[in-house]
Coordinates of all heavy atoms in Angstrom, one line a residue:
M175 N -1.2 -11.4 20.5 CA -1.4 -10.8 19.2 C -0.7 -9.5 19.2 O -0.8 -8.7 20.1 CB -2.9 -10.6 19.0 CG -3.2 -9.8 17.7 SD -5.0 -9.4 17.5 CE -5.7 -11.1 17.4
G176 N 0.0 -9.2 18.1 CA 0.8 -8.0 18.0 C -0.1 -6.8 17.5 O -1.3 -7.0 17.4
H177 N 0.5 -5.7 17.2 CA -0.2 -4.6 16.7 C 0.5 -4.2 15.3 O 1.7 -4.0 15.3 CB -0.1 -3.4 17.6 CG -0.8 -2.2 17.1 ND1 -2.1 -2.0 17.2 CD2 -0.3 -1.1 16.5 CE1 -2.4 -0.8 16.7 NE2 -1.3 -0.3 16.2
R178 N -0.3 -4.2 14.3 CA 0.2 -3.9 13.0 C -0.8 -3.1 12.2 O -2.0 -3.3 12.2 CB 0.5 -5.2 12.2 CG 0.9 -5.1 10.8 CD 1.4 -6.3 10.1 NE 0.8 -7.6 10.5 CZ 1.1 -8.8 9.9 NH1 1.9 -8.8 8.9 NH2 0.6 -9.9 10.4
M179 N -0.3 -2.1 11.5 CA -1.2 -1.3 10.6 C -0.3 -0.7 9.5 O 0.7 -0.1 9.8 CB -1.8 -0.1 11.4 CG -2.7 0.7 10.6 SD -3.4 2.1 11.5 CE -4.3 1.3 12.8
S180 N -0.7 -1.1 8.3 CA 0.1 -0.6 7.1 C -0.8 -0.4 5.9 O -1.8 -1.1 5.8 CB 1.3 -1.5 6.8 OG 0.8 -2.7 6.3
K181 N -0.4 0.5 5.0 CA -1.0 0.6 3.7 C 0.1 0.5 2.7 O 1.2 1.2 2.9 CB -1.7 1.9 3.6 CG -3.0 2.0 4.4 CD -3.8 3.3 4.1 CE -5.1 3.3 4.9 NZ -5.8 4.6 4.6
T182 N -0.1 -0.2 1.7 CA 0.8 -0.4 0.6 C 0.1 -0.1 -0.7 O -1.0 -0.7 -1.0 CB 1.4 -1.8 0.6 OG1 2.0 -2.0 1.8 CG2 2.5 -1.9 -0.5
Y183 N 0.7 0.8 -1.6 CA 0.1 1.1 -2.9 C 1.1 0.5 -3.9 O 2.3 0.6 -3.8 CB -0.1 2.6 -3.0 CG -1.2 3.1 -2.1 CD1 -0.8 3.6 -0.8 CD2 -2.5 3.1 -2.5 CE1 -1.8 4.0 0.0 CE2 -3.5 3.5 -1.6 CZ -3.1 4.0 -0.4 OH -4.1 4.5 0.5
F184 N 0.5 0.1 -5.0 CA 1.3 -0.5 -6.1 C 1.3 0.4 -7.4 O 0.4 1.3 -7.5 CB 0.7 -1.9 -6.5 CG 0.6 -2.8 -5.2 CD1 -0.6 -3.0 -4.7 CD2 1.8 -3.3 -4.6 CE1 -0.7 -3.8 -3.6 CE2 1.7 -4.0 -3.5 CZ 0.4 -4.3 -2.9
A185 N 2.2 0.1 -8.3 CA 2.3 0.9 -9.5 C 1.0 0.9 -10.3 O 0.7 1.9 -11.1 CB 3.4 0.4 -10.4
N186 N 0.1 -0.1 -10.1 CA -1.1 -0.2 -10.9 C -2.2 0.7 -10.3 O -3.3 0.7 -10.8 CB -1.6 -1.7 -10.9 CG -1.8 -2.3 -9.6 OD1 -1.8 -1.6 -8.6 ND2 -2.0 -3.6 -9.6
G187 N -2.0 1.4 -9.2 CA -2.9 2.2 -8.6 C -3.7 1.6 -7.4 O -4.4 2.2 -6.6
W188 N -3.7 0.2 -7.4 CA -4.4 -0.5 -6.3 C -3.5 -0.5 -5.1 O -2.3 -0.3 -5.1 CB -4.7 -1.9 -6.8 CG -5.7 -2.0 -7.9 CD1 -5.4 -2.0 -9.2 CD2 -7.1 -2.2 -7.8 NE1 -6.6 -2.1 -9.9 CE2 -7.6 -2.2 -9.1 CE3 -7.9 -2.3 -6.7 CZ2 -9.0 -2.4 -9.3 CZ3 -9.3 -2.5 -6.9 CH2 -9.8 -2.5 -8.2
G189 N -4.1 -0.9 -3.9 CA -3.4 -1.0 -2.7 C -4.0 -1.9 -1.7 O -5.1 -2.5 -2.0
V190 N -3.4 -2.2 -0.6 CA -3.9 -3.0 0.4 C -3.7 -2.3 1.8 O -2.7 -1.6 1.9 CB -3.3 -4.4 0.5 CG1 -3.7 -5.2 -0.8 CG2 -1.8 -4.4 0.7
S191 N -4.6 -2.5 2.7 CA -4.5 -2.1 4.0 C -4.4 -3.3 4.9 O -5.3 -4.2 4.8 CB -5.6 -1.2 4.4 OG -5.6 -0.9 5.8
I192 N -3.4 -3.4 5.8 CA -3.3 -4.6 6.6 C -3.3 -4.1 8.1 O -2.5 -3.2 8.4 CB -2.0 -5.3 6.3 CG1 -1.9 -5.8 4.9 CG2 -1.8 -6.5 7.3 CD1 -0.6 -6.2 4.4
I193 N -4.2 -4.7 8.9 CA -4.2 -4.3 10.3 C -4.3 -5.6 11.2 O -4.7 -6.6 10.7 CB -5.5 -3.5 10.6 CG1 -6.8 -4.2 10.4 CG2 -5.4 -2.2 9.9 CD1 -8.0 -3.5 10.9
E194 N -3.8 -5.4 12.4 CA -3.9 -6.5 13.4 C -3.8 -5.7 14.7 O -2.8 -5.0 15.0 CB -2.7 -7.5 13.2 CG -2.8 -8.6 14.3 CD -1.7 -9.6 14.2 OE1 -0.7 -9.3 13.5 OE2 -1.8 -10.6 14.8
F195 N -4.8 -5.9 15.5 CA -4.8 -5.3 16.9 C -5.7 -6.1 17.7 O -6.4 -7.0 17.3 CB -5.1 -3.8 16.8 CG -6.4 -3.4 16.3 CD1 -7.5 -3.2 17.1 CD2 -6.6 -3.3 14.9 CE1 -8.7 -2.9 16.5 CE2 -7.8 -3.0 14.3 CZ -8.9 -2.8 15.2
A196 N -5.9 -5.7 19.0 CA -6.7 -6.5 20.0 C -8.1 -6.7 19.5 O -8.7 -7.8 19.9 CB -6.6 -5.7 21.3
F197 N -8.7 -5.8 18.8 CA -10.1 -6.0 18.5 C -10.4 -6.4 17.0 O -11.5 -6.4 16.5 CB -10.9 -4.7 18.8 CG -10.8 -4.4 20.2 CD1 -10.0 -3.4 20.7 CD2 -11.5 -5.2 21.2 CE1 -9.9 -3.0 22.0 CE2 -11.4 -4.9 22.5 CZ -10.6 -3.8 23.0
S198 N -9.3 -6.7 16.3 CA -9.5 -7.1 14.9 C -9.7 -8.6 14.8 O -9.6 -9.3 15.8 CB -8.2 -6.7 14.0 OG -7.1 -7.5 14.5
R199 N -10.1 -9.1 13.6 CA -10.2 -10.5 13.3 C -8.9 -11.1 12.9 O -8.6 -11.4 11.8 CB -11.3 -10.7 12.2 CG -12.7 -10.2 12.6 CD -13.6 -10.4 11.4 NE -13.1 -9.5 10.3 CZ -13.4 -9.8 9.0 NH1 -14.2 -10.8 8.7 NH2 -13.0 -9.0 8.1
G200 N -8.0 -11.1 13.9 CA -6.6 -11.6 13.6 C -6.0 -10.5 12.7 O -6.2 -9.4 12.8
T201 N -5.2 -11.0 11.7 CA -4.6 -10.1 10.7 C -5.7 -10.0 9.6 O -6.2 -10.9 9.1 CB -3.4 -10.7 10.1 OG1 -2.4 -10.9 11.2 CG2 -2.8 -9.8 9.0
E202 N -6.0 -8.7 9.3 CA -7.1 -8.4 8.3 C -6.4 -7.7 7.2 O -5.5 -6.9 7.3 CB -8.2 -7.5 8.9 CG -9.0 -8.1 10.0 CD -10.1 -7.3 10.4 OE1 -10.8 -6.7 9.6 OE2 -10.3 -7.1 11.7
L203 N -7.0 -7.9 6.0 CA -6.5 -7.3 4.8 C -7.7 -6.7 4.0 O -8.7 -7.4 3.9 CB -5.8 -8.3 3.8 CG -5.2 -7.7 2.5 CD1 -3.9 -8.3 2.2 CD2 -6.2 -7.9 1.4
A204 N -7.6 -5.4 3.6 CA -8.6 -4.8 2.8 C -8.0 -4.3 1.5 O -6.8 -3.9 1.5 CB -9.2 -3.6 3.6
V205 N -8.8 -4.3 0.5 CA -8.3 -3.8 -0.8 C -8.7 -2.3 -1.0 O -9.8 -1.9 -0.7 CB -8.9 -4.6 -2.0 CG1 -8.5 -4.1 -3.3 CG2 -8.5 -6.1 -1.9
I206 N -7.7 -1.5 -1.5 CA -7.9 -0.1 -1.8 C -7.9 0.1 -3.3 O -7.0 -0.3 -3.9 CB -6.8 0.8 -1.1 CG1 -6.8 0.5 0.4 CG2 -7.1 2.2 -1.4 CD1 -5.6 1.1 1.1
G207 N -9.0 0.6 -3.8 CA -9.1 0.8 -5.3 C -8.2 2.0 -5.7 O -7.7 2.8 -4.9
P208 N -8.1 2.1 -7.0 CA -7.3 3.2 -7.6 C -7.9 4.6 -7.2 O -7.1 5.6 -7.3 CB -7.4 3.0 -9.1 CG -7.6 1.5 -9.2 CD -8.5 1.2 -8.1
D209 N -9.1 4.7 -6.8 CA -9.7 5.9 -6.4 C -9.4 6.2 -5.0 O -9.8 7.3 -4.4 CB -11.2 5.9 -6.6 CG -11.9 4.8 -5.8 OD1 -11.3 4.0 -5.1 OD2 -13.2 4.7 -5.9
G210 N -8.7 5.4 -4.3 CA -8.3 5.6 -2.9 C -9.3 5.1 -1.9 O -9.1 5.2 -0.7
E211 N -10.4 4.6 -2.4 CA -11.5 4.1 -1.5 C -11.4 2.6 -1.3 O -10.8 1.9 -2.2 CB -12.9 4.4 -2.1 CG -13.1 5.9 -2.3 CD -13.2 6.7 -0.9 OE1 -13.8 6.1 0.0 OE2 -12.7 7.8 -0.9
M212 N -12.0 2.1 -0.3 CA -12.0 0.6 -0.1 C -12.8 0.0 -1.2 O -13.8 0.5 -1.7 CB -12.7 0.3 1.3 CG -12.0 0.9 2.5 SD -10.4 0.4 2.7 CE -10.6 -1.1 3.6
H213 N -12.3 -1.1 -1.7 CA -12.9 -1.8 -2.9 C -13.3 -3.2 -2.4 O -12.4 -4.0 -2.1 CB -12.0 -1.8 -4.0 CG -12.6 -2.3 -5.3 ND1 -12.8 -3.6 -5.6 CD2 -13.1 -1.6 -6.4 CE1 -13.3 -3.8 -6.8 NE2 -13.5 -2.5 -7.3
Y214 N -14.6 -3.6 -2.4 CA -15.0 -4.8 -1.9 C -15.4 -5.9 -2.9 O -15.4 -7.1 -2.6 CB -16.2 -4.6 -0.9 CG -15.9 -3.8 0.2 CD1 -16.3 -2.4 0.3 CD2 -15.1 -4.2 1.3 CE1 -16.0 -1.6 1.4 CE2 -14.7 -3.4 2.4 CZ -15.2 -2.1 2.4 OH -14.9 -1.3 3.5
D215 N -15.7 -5.4 -4.1 CA -16.2 -6.3 -5.2 C -15.1 -6.9 -6.0 O -15.0 -6.6 -7.2 CB -17.2 -5.6 -6.1 CG -18.5 -5.1 -5.3 OD1 -18.9 -5.9 -4.4 OD2 -19.0 -4.1 -5.6
N216 N -14.3 -7.8 -5.4 CA -13.2 -8.4 -6.1 C -12.9 -9.7 -5.3 O -13.3 -10.0 -4.2 CB -12.0 -7.5 -6.1 CG -11.5 -7.2 -4.7 OD1 -10.9 -8.0 -4.1 ND2 -11.7 -6.0 -4.3
P217 N -12.2 -10.6 -6.0 CA -12.0 -12.0 -5.4 C -11.1 -12.0 -4.2 O -11.1 -12.9 -3.4 CB -11.4 -12.8 -6.5 CG -10.8 -11.8 -7.5 CD -11.7 -10.6 -7.4
V218 N -10.3 -10.9 -4.0 CA -9.4 -10.9 -2.8 C -10.2 -10.4 -1.6 O -10.2 -11.1 -0.6 CB -8.2 -9.9 -3.0 CG1 -7.5 -9.6 -1.7 CG2 -7.2 -10.6 -4.0
A219 N -11.0 -9.4 -1.8 CA -11.8 -8.9 -0.6 C -13.0 -9.8 -0.4 O -13.5 -9.8 0.8 CB -12.3 -7.4 -0.9
Q220 N -13.5 -10.4 -1.4 CA -14.7 -11.3 -1.2 C -15.9 -10.6 -0.6 O -16.5 -11.1 0.3 CB -14.3 -12.6 -0.5 CG -13.4 -13.4 -1.3 CD -13.0 -14.7 -0.6 OE1 -13.4 -14.9 0.6 NE2 -12.4 -15.6 -1.3
G221 N -16.1 -9.3 -0.9 CA -17.2 -8.5 -0.4 C -17.0 -7.9 0.9 O -17.9 -7.3 1.5
D222 N -15.8 -8.0 1.5 CA -15.6 -7.4 2.8 C -14.1 -7.3 3.0 O -13.3 -7.4 2.1 CB -16.1 -8.4 3.9 CG -16.3 -7.8 5.3 OD1 -16.0 -6.6 5.5 OD2 -16.8 -8.5 6.2
T223 N -13.6 -7.1 4.2 CA -12.2 -7.3 4.5 C -12.0 -8.7 4.8 O -12.9 -9.4 5.2 CB -11.8 -6.4 5.7 OG1 -12.5 -6.8 6.9 CG2 -12.0 -4.9 5.5
R224 N -10.8 -9.2 4.6 CA -10.5 -10.6 4.9 C -9.8 -10.7 6.2 O -8.8 -10.0 6.5 CB -9.5 -11.1 3.8 CG -10.1 -11.2 2.4 CD -11.0 -12.4 2.2 NE -10.3 -13.7 2.2 CZ -9.7 -14.3 1.2 NH1 -9.7 -13.7 0.0 NH2 -9.1 -15.4 1.4
G225 N -10.3 -11.5 7.1 CA -9.7 -11.7 8.4 C -9.1 -13.0 8.7 O -9.3 -14.0 7.9
W226 N -8.5 -13.2 9.8 CA -7.9 -14.4 10.3 C -6.8 -15.0 9.3 O -6.8 -16.2 9.0 CB -8.9 -15.5 10.6 CG -10.0 -15.0 11.6 CD1 -11.3 -14.8 11.3 CD2 -9.8 -14.6 12.9 NE1 -11.9 -14.3 12.4 CE2 -11.0 -14.2 13.5 CE3 -8.7 -14.5 13.8 CZ2 -11.2 -13.7 14.8 CZ3 -8.8 -14.1 15.1 CH2 -10.1 -13.7 15.6
L227 N -6.0 -14.1 8.7 CA -5.1 -14.5 7.7 C -3.7 -14.8 8.3 O -3.3 -14.2 9.3 CB -4.9 -13.4 6.7 CG -6.1 -12.9 5.9 CD1 -5.9 -11.7 5.1 CD2 -6.6 -14.1 5.0
T228 N -3.1 -15.8 7.7 CA -1.7 -16.1 8.1 C -0.8 -15.1 7.3 O -1.2 -14.5 6.3 CB -1.3 -17.5 7.7 OG1 -1.3 -17.6 6.2 CG2 -2.2 -18.5 8.3
D229 N 0.5 -15.0 7.7 CA 1.4 -14.1 7.0 C 1.5 -14.6 5.5 O 1.7 -13.8 4.6 CB 2.8 -14.1 7.7 CG 2.8 -13.3 9.0 OD1 1.8 -12.6 9.2 OD2 3.7 -13.5 9.8
E230 N 1.5 -15.9 5.3 CA 1.6 -16.4 3.9 C 0.4 -16.0 3.1 O 0.6 -15.6 1.9 CB 1.8 -17.9 3.9 CG 1.8 -18.6 2.6 CD 3.1 -18.1 1.8 OE1 4.1 -17.7 2.4 OE2 3.0 -18.1 0.5
E231 N -0.8 -16.1 3.7 CA -2.0 -15.6 3.0 C -1.9 -14.1 2.6 O -2.3 -13.7 1.6 CB -3.2 -16.0 3.8 CG -3.5 -17.4 3.8 CD -4.6 -17.8 4.8 OE1 -4.6 -17.2 6.0 OE2 -5.4 -18.7 4.5
V232 N -1.4 -13.3 3.6 CA -1.3 -11.9 3.3 C -0.3 -11.7 2.2 O -0.6 -10.9 1.3 CB -0.8 -11.2 4.6 CG1 -0.3 -9.7 4.3 CG2 -1.8 -11.2 5.7
R233 N 0.8 -12.4 2.1 CA 1.7 -12.2 1.0 C 1.1 -12.6 -0.3 O 1.2 -11.9 -1.3 CB 3.0 -13.1 1.2 CG 4.0 -12.5 2.2 CD 5.3 -13.2 2.3 NE 5.2 -14.5 2.8 CZ 5.2 -14.8 4.1 NH1 5.3 -13.8 5.0 NH2 5.1 -16.0 4.6
E234 N 0.4 -13.7 -0.3 CA -0.3 -14.2 -1.6 C -1.4 -13.2 -2.1 O -1.4 -12.9 -3.2 CB -0.9 -15.6 -1.4 CG 0.1 -16.7 -1.2 CD -0.5 -18.0 -0.8 OE1 -1.8 -18.1 -0.7 OE2 0.2 -19.0 -0.5
L235 N -2.2 -12.7 -1.1 CA -3.3 -11.8 -1.5 C -2.7 -10.5 -2.0 O -3.2 -9.9 -2.9 CB -4.2 -11.6 -0.4 CG -5.0 -12.9 0.0 CD1 -5.8 -12.7 1.3 CD2 -6.0 -13.3 -1.1
T236 N -1.6 -10.0 -1.3 CA -1.0 -8.8 -1.7 C -0.4 -8.9 -3.1 O -0.5 -8.0 -3.9 CB 0.1 -8.4 -0.6 OG1 -0.5 -8.2 0.6 CG2 0.8 -7.2 -1.0
S237 N 0.2 -10.0 -3.4 CA 0.8 -10.2 -4.7 C -0.3 -10.2 -5.8 O -0.1 -9.7 -6.9 CB 1.6 -11.5 -4.7 OG 2.7 -11.5 -3.9
E238 N -1.4 -10.8 -5.4 CA -2.5 -10.9 -6.4 C -3.0 -9.4 -6.7 O -3.1 -9.1 -7.9 CB -3.7 -11.7 -5.9 CG -4.8 -11.8 -6.9 CD -5.9 -12.7 -6.5 OE1 -5.7 -13.6 -5.6 OE2 -7.0 -12.6 -7.1
V239 N -3.2 -8.6 -5.7 CA -3.6 -7.2 -6.0 C -2.5 -6.5 -6.8 O -2.9 -5.7 -7.7 CB -3.9 -6.5 -4.6 CG1 -4.2 -5.0 -4.8 CG2 -5.1 -7.2 -3.9
A240 N -1.3 -6.7 -6.5 CA -0.2 -6.0 -7.2 C -0.1 -6.4 -8.7 O 0.3 -5.7 -9.5 CB 1.2 -6.3 -6.5
S241 N -0.7 -7.6 -9.0 CA -0.6 -8.1 -10.4 C -1.8 -7.6 -11.2 O -1.8 -7.7 -12.5 CB -0.7 -9.6 -10.4 OG -2.0 -10.1 -10.1
W242 N -2.8 -6.9 -10.6 CA -3.9 -6.4 -11.4 C -3.5 -5.3 -12.3 O -2.6 -4.5 -12.0 CB -5.0 -6.0 -10.5 CG -5.7 -7.0 -9.7 CD1 -5.6 -8.4 -9.9 CD2 -6.5 -6.9 -8.5 NE1 -6.3 -9.1 -8.9 CE2 -6.9 -8.2 -8.0 CE3 -6.9 -5.8 -7.8 CZ2 -7.7 -8.4 -6.9 CZ3 -7.7 -6.0 -6.6 CH2 -8.1 -7.3 -6.2
S243 N -4.3 -5.1 -13.4 CA -4.1 -3.9 -14.2 C -4.8 -2.7 -13.6 O -5.6 -2.8 -12.7 CB -4.7 -4.1 -15.6 OG -6.1 -4.3 -15.5
E244 N -4.4 -1.5 -14.1 CA -5.0 -0.3 -13.5 C -6.5 -0.2 -13.6 O -7.2 0.3 -12.8 CB -4.4 1.0 -14.2 CG -3.0 1.2 -13.9 CD -2.5 2.5 -14.6 OE1 -3.2 3.4 -14.8 OE2 -1.3 2.5 -15.0
D245 N -7.0 -0.8 -14.7 CA -8.5 -0.8 -15.0 C -9.1 -2.2 -14.8 O -10.0 -2.6 -15.5 CB -8.8 -0.2 -16.4 CG -8.1 -1.0 -17.5 OD1 -7.3 -1.9 -17.2 OD2 -8.4 -0.8 -18.6
Q246 N -8.5 -2.9 -13.8 CA -9.0 -4.3 -13.6 C -10.5 -4.4 -13.3 O -11.0 -3.6 -12.6 CB -8.2 -4.9 -12.4 CG -8.5 -6.3 -12.0 CD -7.9 -7.3 -13.0 OE1 -6.7 -7.0 -13.4 NE2 -8.5 -8.3 -13.4
T247 N -11.1 -5.3 -14.0 CA -12.5 -5.6 -13.7 C -12.6 -7.1 -13.2 O -11.7 -7.9 -13.5 CB -13.4 -5.4 -14.9 OG1 -12.9 -6.3 -16.0 CG2 -13.4 -4.0 -15.4
F248 N -13.7 -7.4 -12.6 CA -13.9 -8.8 -12.1 C -15.2 -9.4 -12.5 O -16.1 -9.6 -11.7 CB -13.8 -8.7 -10.5 CG -12.6 -7.9 -10.1 CD1 -12.6 -6.6 -9.7 CD2 -11.4 -8.6 -10.0 CE1 -11.5 -5.9 -9.3 CE2 -10.2 -7.9 -9.6 CZ -10.3 -6.6 -9.2
P249 N -15.4 -9.6 -13.8 CA -16.7 -10.1 -14.3 C -17.0 -11.5 -13.8 O -18.2 -11.8 -13.7 CB -16.5 -10.1 -15.8 CG -15.0 -10.2 -16.0 CD -14.4 -9.4 -14.9
D250 N -16.0 -12.3 -13.5 CA -16.3 -13.7 -13.1 C -16.5 -13.8 -11.6 O -16.8 -14.9 -11.1 CB -15.2 -14.6 -13.5 CG -15.1 -14.7 -15.0 OD1 -16.1 -14.4 -15.7 OD2 -14.0 -14.9 -15.5
W251 N -16.2 -12.8 -10.8 CA -16.3 -12.9 -9.4 C -17.8 -12.6 -8.9 O -18.4 -11.6 -9.3 CB -15.4 -11.9 -8.7 CG -15.5 -12.1 -7.2 CD1 -14.8 -13.0 -6.5 CD2 -16.3 -11.4 -6.3 NE1 -15.2 -12.9 -5.1 CE2 -16.1 -11.9 -5.0 CE3 -17.2 -10.3 -6.4 CZ2 -16.7 -11.4 -3.8 CZ3 -17.8 -9.9 -5.2 CH2 -17.6 -10.4 -4.0
E252 N -18.3 -13.5 -8.1 CA -19.6 -13.3 -7.5 C -19.5 -13.7 -6.0 O -18.8 -14.6 -5.7 CB -20.6 -14.2 -8.1 CG -20.9 -13.9 -9.6 CD -22.0 -14.8 -10.1 OE1 -22.8 -15.3 -9.3 OE2 -22.1 -14.9 -11.3
E253 N -20.1 -12.8 -5.2 CA -20.1 -13.1 -3.8 C -20.8 -14.4 -3.5 O -21.9 -14.6 -4.0 CB -20.7 -12.0 -3.0 CG -20.6 -12.1 -1.5 CD -21.1 -10.9 -0.8 OE1 -21.3 -9.8 -1.4 OE2 -21.3 -11.0 0.4
E254 N -20.2 -15.3 -2.7 CA -20.8 -16.6 -2.4 C -21.9 -16.4 -1.4 O -21.9 -15.6 -0.6 CB -19.8 -17.6 -2.0 CG -18.8 -17.9 -3.0 CD -17.7 -18.8 -2.6 OE1 -17.8 -19.3 -1.4 OE2 -16.8 -19.1 -3.3

């Protein structure tokens, strides 16, 4: 397992944090809200950080966050 840590912010104000290191759950992705804080109540985060992701899943989830509007809401998302 490699070591990776990055934060990417998008024009819509949202961002993602991606980490991978010896004690992580594989590659993990967390959503950062426009306020700069971790945002868990959305379909990408699913109430937590997402772990054990493939590089393809990271690209797909990152693209989804980048597509949100600045004032994105998630009325249809419910934690399972």
Side-chain angles (χ1 to χ4, degrees):
M175 176 183 299
H177 178 83
R178 176 173 25 176
M179 184 183 295
S180 67
K181 286 186 181 177
T182 304
Y183 294 91
F184 307 107
N186 59 9
W188 292 88
V190 295
S191 172
I192 301 165
I193 64 167
E194 180 181 17
F195 59 97
F197 300 106
S198 66
R199 298 175 297 156
T201 301
E202 294 185 47
L203 181 141
V205 175
I206 304 168
D209 61 359
E211 299 292 323
M212 301 300 272
H213 190 280
Y214 299 105
D215 296 326
N216 62 73
V218 168
Q220 296 183 347
D222 198 356
T223 60
R224 296 281 294 271
W226 306 114
L227 299 171
T228 65
D229 288 343
E230 179 63 25
E231 289 169 320
V232 168
R233 283 189 291 276
E234 289 171 6
L235 294 171
T236 299
S237 291
E238 183 173 341
V239 173
S241 74
W242 294 345
S243 65
E244 289 181 36
D245 58 351
Q246 183 74 40
T247 59
F248 308 96
D250 297 331
W251 183 82
E252 293 183 22
E253 189 173 346
E254 295 179 4

